[in-house]
């Protein structure tokens, strides 16, 4: 018997992906650098479907139907290149290598170009949902050639999460498009998590609620428009009590957030593309600030306001509005980055389809994504989600509460960089005039960088060091 698809790299993700394929009736070849993992998989889960274990790369490749579909689930970076170098010589034109790891889209572009020369399809596929998603249905964001998607799509859609019968998997676009979209997904995830963290902090320190009480607030929110996986698990984490001390779990965890890098990549890429993603950037920086123990220790005695002023009744509702409004901004910024990346690299990404495949399987899955899908359906070329009818109305309805929450945070000395930057972005886009005009004047003054005028076309320069007449640049 031949395998329909093969998975090499059988750590948590690869193992569960292989099991998911087997459970869906697809005979799957399995391989791992260290053969013990392959053996363990078949011993433990062999009953779930048809696994064809291979000890060597040659055996593995020989067991695959043609054209071959080979999924690589190894540690991103050098290991991915090592595995490609090992397998590519054993493959033939028309075969497909799928990289399901968290690769940087630039690496995916490089690998795709190199393999295309040899007639091999390279598919950079973003996979979200962690261990559980890989087993029960992840959100899959495959890039690569349209031809490879014809051969791979049905299999990937089969094992992906489904929402209303629609698979959370679609062809994203050529070469690095899939990994780019996965990167932005993770950036949005950072932003979502930061906004939730700020909501918790305000409910705790401005409203004086306990973690258990805040868990209840999140449970309530999870029955409304904020319904999402992240809100759901937030309630679980806040309600949890540490067994060793009897204290709320959230109070015994060291308050230094770590990161693996996809949020940072999202911001670095946004800087290169010139896309303002303040919400994602502040989320990355907030983790960074939390991790600087020395800086925080040195600053502990800096003066702050009197925290006695407690927030009044209705504050939790105001925080809900601030959270919803800031979340709209975070997604608007993330989707702007996707559209800018798509334009830069000629990927032709369907933004609405990305919202559709994020509705299930992935970490940011949420009811909210249906709204984004609807917004792009209503106007596929909209420059920003903020102006969609539903979102504009929600922002208008939330803005007083949003301002009150940001003001309360500032007054009480509670850091809320996510809420504050989201509100500043909203107000910047709304503004009739921005002080950027003054910035242009300064640039022209010190560097003769020139400026444009509101009333005439062309570039101008004022002779600042001379008689201050204006000349055409
Ligand atoms: P890891 O990222 O921990 O990688 C372990 C696997 O890589 C093992 O199979 C290991 O083989 C293999 N490997 C390494 Br390390 N170096 C190798 C080399 N030079 N040649 C061949 N194989 C090599 O596994 P994971 O947590 O399952 O994640 C897999 C991918 O999926 C990563 O890119 C990750 O970023 C991505 N991802 C993970 C999650 C998650 O929730 N964990 C979610 C979404 C995406 P060995 O057994 O012989 O050491």
């Amino acid at each position: 018997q031949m395998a329909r698809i093969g998975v090499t790299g059988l750590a948590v993700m690869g193992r569960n992906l292989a099991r998911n394929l087997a459970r869906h009736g697809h005979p799957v070849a399995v391989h791992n650098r260290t053969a013990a993992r392959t053996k363990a998989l078949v011993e433990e889960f062999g009953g779930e479907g048809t696994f064809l274990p291979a000890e060597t790369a040659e055996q593995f490749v020989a067991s695959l139907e043609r054209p071959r579909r080979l999924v690589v689930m190894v540690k991103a970076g050098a290991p991915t290149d090592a595995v490609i170098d090992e397998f590519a010589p054993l493959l033939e034109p028309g075969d497909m290598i799928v990289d399901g790891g968290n690769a940087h889209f630039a690496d995916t572009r490089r690998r795709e170009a190199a393999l295309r020369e040899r007639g091999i399809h390279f598919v950079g596929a973003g996979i979200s949902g962690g261990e559980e998603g890989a087993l029960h249905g992840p959100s899959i964001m495959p890039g690569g050639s349209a031809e490879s998607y014809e051969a791979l799509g049905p299999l990937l859609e089969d094992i992906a999460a489904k929402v209303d019968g629609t698979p959370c998997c679609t062809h994203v676009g050529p070469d690095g498009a899939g990994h780019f979209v996965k990167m932005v997904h993770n950036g949005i995830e950072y932003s979502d998590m930061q906004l939730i963290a700020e909501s918790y902090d305000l409910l705790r320190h401005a409203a004086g609620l306990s973690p258990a009480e805040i868990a209840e607030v999140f449970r309530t929110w999870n029955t409304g428009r904020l319904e999402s996986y992240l809100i759901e698990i937030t309630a679980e984490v806040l309600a949890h009590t540490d067994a060793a001390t009897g204290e709320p779990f959230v109070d015994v965890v060291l308050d230094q957030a770590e990161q693996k890098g996809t949020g940072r990549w999202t911001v670095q890429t946004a800087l290169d593309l010139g896309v303002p993603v303040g919400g994602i950037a502040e989320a990355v920086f907030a983790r960074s600030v939390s991790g600087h123990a020395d800086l925080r220790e040195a600053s502990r005695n800096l003066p702050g306001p009197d925290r006695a002023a407690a927030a009044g009744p209705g504050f939790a509702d105001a925080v809900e509005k601030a959270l919803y409004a800031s979340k709209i901004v975070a997604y608007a910024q993330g989707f702007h980055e996707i559209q800018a990346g798509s334009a830069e690299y000629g990927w032709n990404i369907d933004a609405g389809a990305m919202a559709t495949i994020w509705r299930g399987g992935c970490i940011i899955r949420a009811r909210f994504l249906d709204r984004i899908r609807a917004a792009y359906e209503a106007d596929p070329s909209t420059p920003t989600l903020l102006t969609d009818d539903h979102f504009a109305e929600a922002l208008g309805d939330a803005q007083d509460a949003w301002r009150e929450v940001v003001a309360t945070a500032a007054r009480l000395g509670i850091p809320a960089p996510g809420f504050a930057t989201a509100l500043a972005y909203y107000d910047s886009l709304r503004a009739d005039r921005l002080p950027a005009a003054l910035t242009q004047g300064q640039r022209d003054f010190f560097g003769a960088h020139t400026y444009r005028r509101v009333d005439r076309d062309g570039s101008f320069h004022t002779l600042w060091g001379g008689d201050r007449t204006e000349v055409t640049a």
Side-chain angles (χ1 to χ4, degrees), residues 4-51:
R4 194 161 296 154
I5 190 164
V7 179
T8 182
L10 300 174
V12 284
M13 290 295 287
R15 183 177 71 160
N16 281 356
L17 212 62
R19 290 174 61 198
N20 188 348
L21 284 158
R23 286 170 166 202
H24 278 85
H26 307 294
V28 55
V30 284
H31 172 268
N32 192 67
R33 177 179 63 179
T34 312
R37 278 199 207 267
T38 317
K39 210 165 154 249
L41 166 58
V42 178
E43 269 169 18
E44 273 182 72
F45 305 107
E48 294 183 351
T50 306
F51 294 96

Side-chain angles (χ1 to χ4, degrees), residues 8-16 31-38 72-84 86-87 99-103 125-132 134 179 182 186 260 262 363:
T8 182
L10 300 174
V12 284
M13 290 295 287
R15 183 177 71 160
N16 281 356
H31 172 268
N32 192 67
R33 177 179 63 179
T34 312
R37 278 199 207 267
T38 317
V72 181
M73 281 307 284
V74 301
K75 202 174 172 67
T80 306
D81 283 312
V83 171
I84 292 170
E86 184 181 5
F87 284 97
D99 174 18
N102 265 337
I127 301 184
S128 178
E131 218 178 309
E132 283 296 296
H179 275 139
K182 171 64 179 6
N186 285 27
K260 282 194 170 167
T262 41
I363 304 300

Side-chain angles (χ1 to χ4, degrees), residues 240-253:
H240 185 56
T241 303
D242 175 52
T245 60
E247 296 294 319
F249 169 79
V250 72
D251 287 348
V252 301
V253 177

Side-chain angles (χ1 to χ4, degrees), residues 139-141 161-164 166-172 181 184-185 188 331-332 334-335 338-339 349-362 364-377 385 391:
S139 172
I140 310 179
M141 296 149 251
K162 310 281 184 305
V163 174
D164 304 333
T166 305
C168 296
C169 172
T170 192
H171 183 226
V172 176
V181 164
V184 176
H185 162 285
I188 292 174
Y331 281 70
F335 275 87
I338 288 177
Q339 296 198 300
I349 296 175
D350 175 348
M354 299 307 106
T356 304
I357 64 170
W358 288 348
R359 292 182 308 161
C362 62
I364 64 171
R365 60 185 183 261
R367 183 196 277 200
F368 178 74
L369 284 153
D370 259 330
R371 291 288 187 184
I372 296 184
R373 182 174 70 142
Y376 280 114
E377 254 166 34
L385 286 169
F391 292 133

